[in-house]
């Protein structure tokens, strides 16, 4: 039986959503096509009707989750008095540490990207640059372009690193994980409100 265009699009979206969640929780290598297909409610044959290879799905899932994160940040701007603090609070939080499947893919994928193919690396790098660019926009209101770029890179990497480290230590030392988040958030806000930043 022929599948409608709408159902075909729905099935593809289901595969990307399932893959994104599983990749972020388990990693690329530990997540197989069969598991992704089952999570999406499809057969493996259905999977290959949409993606010729797992790598193409990794690229699509990475692109979608990075775009979702960027859109989420964009929607937060202007919602409070200090956009930078709003972004810091949203990202550097215990809730984000615990929401691995729905959280930022940069904190989930960082260590795995280096072993992926060039298309996936390019997608990840482009997504990272978009997030840095958004931070740079926020920072540009208070500093020159060169300083805004430098600070945007600093803030982005500090935020990603703190969430990744808190996730890595949470199971064995939850107190340390909470301390990482609290210290990073406090120090980033101090830098954000420094007249020299």
């Amino acid at each position: 039986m022929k599948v409608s265009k709408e159902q075909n699009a729905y099935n593809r979206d289901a595969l990307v959503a399932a893959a994104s969640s599983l990749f972020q929780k388990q990693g690329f290598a530990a997540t197989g096509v069969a598991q992704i297909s089952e999570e999406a409610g499809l057969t493996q044959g259905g999977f290959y009707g949409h993606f010729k290879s797992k790598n193409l799905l990794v690229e699509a899932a990475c692109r979608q989750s990075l775009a979702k994160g960027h859109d989420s940040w964009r929607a937060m701007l202007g919602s409070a008095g200090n956009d930078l603090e709003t972004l810091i609070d949203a990202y550097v939080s215990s809730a984000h540490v615990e929401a691995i499947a729905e959280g930022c893919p940069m904190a989930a994928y960082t260590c795995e990207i280096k072993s992926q193919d060039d298309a996936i690396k390019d997608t990840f790098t482009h997504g990272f640059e978009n997030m840095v660019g958004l931070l740079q926009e926020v920072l540009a209101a208070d500093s020159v372009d060169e300083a805004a770029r430098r600070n945007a890179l600093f803030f982005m990497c500090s935020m990603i690193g703190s969430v990744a480290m808190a996730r890595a230590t949470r199971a064995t030392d939850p107190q340390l994980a909470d301390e990482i988040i609290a210290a990073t958030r406090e120090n980033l806000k101090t830098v954000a409100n420094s007249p020299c930043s």
Side-chain angles (χ1 to χ4, degrees), residues 6 12 18-19 51 83 120 129 154:
E6 292 80 10
R12 187 183 190 284
F51 296 96
D83 284 336
I120 296 167
E129 279 283 11
F154 164 75

Side-chain angles (χ1 to χ4, degrees), residues 112-123:
E112 288 194 275
I113 289 296
K114 66 183 181 298
S115 59
Q116 302 303 307
D117 69 26
D118 287 345
I120 296 167
K121 290 176 186 172
D122 287 344
T123 297

